[in-house]
Amino acid sequence: MPHVQWLRERLGDGSLLASGPLAHLDVRAALLIMTAPDRESLERLIATDPFALEGLIEDMVINEWDPLFGAFNASSSIPARTQG
């Protein structure tokens, strides 16, 4: 499946940190945790997803997130300073 290959490539280049389907919804939806230098770069990257190219993304919300605690802390604004 081209979309899955795209996800694997994003994992390989480090732009995708995690992804998966959202459960218990009436529509198919997913959460992608991605990293990019800025919003425009992220939007350009997502535009290369086969789902986007085929017009299958009906709605998308992009929020910036600062993972101060947990597995993604290395990507935070203060890495290591908030870890136990």
Side-chain angles (χ1 to χ4, degrees):
M1 177 176 221
H3 171 70
V4 172
Q5 181 60 35
W6 183 86
L7 292 171
R8 288 183 177 132
E9 290 169 4
R10 299 300 65 81
L11 283 169
D13 68 23
S15 60
L16 177 63
L17 304 178
S19 72
L22 297 175
H24 312 295
L25 297 178
D26 293 334
V27 296
R28 293 185 64 175
L31 173 70
L32 282 71
I33 300 176
M34 302 186 78
T35 186
D38 53 56
R39 185 184 185 99
E40 287 180 13
S41 298
L42 180 60
E43 289 173 345
R44 282 193 306 272
L45 182 60
I46 291 171
T48 68
D49 180 343
F51 278 5
L53 295 171
E54 293 294 325
L56 299 175
I57 299 175
E58 292 184 18
D59 187 28
M60 178 173 54
V61 175
I62 298 174
N63 288 306
E64 187 172 346
W65 175 51
D66 192 3
L68 296 181
F69 298 93
F72 302 110
N73 172 259
S75 299
S76 82
S77 61
I78 50 173
R81 293 200 355 221
T82 54
Q83 294 301 306

